[in-house]
Amino acid sequence: MSACEKAVREHETVTYQIQGDLNGNLYPIMVEQHSEDVFITLKESAPIPEVFSVDTKGQEKVFLYKVKQNTLIIPGKFDHISLRHAGEKSIEIIQKK
């Protein structure tokens, strides 16, 4: 499929499964996709976490992102990411297809 064909395709709705402590500081208020980016809104009291991409073999790599107030703006090119911060339980966000 060419880039032009991709550009005019109807936007696919993507949903995410969130795993982790519902009461933890890192558990997001909302996870939603806008265009090519995923916006993860954290509680106002949440620390800014490190983000790791997790592949199907469980291998992890640091995943770069931007922060705007209490929202992480992450390129939507992941199937599974993990949010971590010292002293907090990790949160797993998995793209459902």
Side-chain angles (χ1 to χ4, degrees), residues 30-44:
M30 185 177 351
V31 177
E32 59 187 351
Q33 186 155 351
H34 294 275
S35 188
E36 297 293 320
D37 294 326
V38 176
F39 288 67
I40 300 173
T41 305
L42 301 173
K43 299 169 188 164
E44 287 192 30

Side-chain angles (χ1 to χ4, degrees), residues 6-50:
K6 283 184 176 181
V8 296
R9 268 192 349 202
E10 186 176 323
H11 179 71
E12 295 176 17
T13 301
V14 179
T15 57
Y16 298 91
Q17 178 181 0
I18 304 169
Q19 299 174 348
D21 181 4
L22 286 168
N23 298 313
N25 285 326
L26 292 181
Y27 199 89
I29 296 170
M30 185 177 351
V31 177
E32 59 187 351
Q33 186 155 351
H34 294 275
S35 188
E36 297 293 320
D37 294 326
V38 176
F39 288 67
I40 300 173
T41 305
L42 301 173
K43 299 169 188 164
E44 287 192 30
S45 62
I48 301 300
E50 289 183 277

Side-chain angles (χ1 to χ4, degrees), residues 27-96:
Y27 199 89
I29 296 170
M30 185 177 351
V31 177
E32 59 187 351
Q33 186 155 351
H34 294 275
S35 188
E36 297 293 320
D37 294 326
V38 176
F39 288 67
I40 300 173
T41 305
L42 301 173
K43 299 169 188 164
E44 287 192 30
S45 62
I48 301 300
E50 289 183 277
V51 177
F52 297 88
S53 174
V54 183
D55 69 17
T56 56
K57 296 178 183 176
Q59 302 266 336
E60 299 179 343
K61 291 184 183 176
V62 173
F63 206 72
L64 300 178
Y65 62 96
K66 297 177 187 173
V67 178
K68 186 172 185 177
Q69 296 175 335
N70 62 324
T71 300
L72 310 178
I73 305 168
I74 299 177
K77 298 175 180 145
F78 68 84
D79 291 321
H80 177 176
I81 58 171
S82 181
L83 308 180
R84 296 194 196 130
H85 191 274
E88 298 289 334
K89 293 181 181 177
S90 66
I91 299 295
E92 308 301 316
I93 299 175
I94 303 163
Q95 188 181 90
K96 295 189 83 167

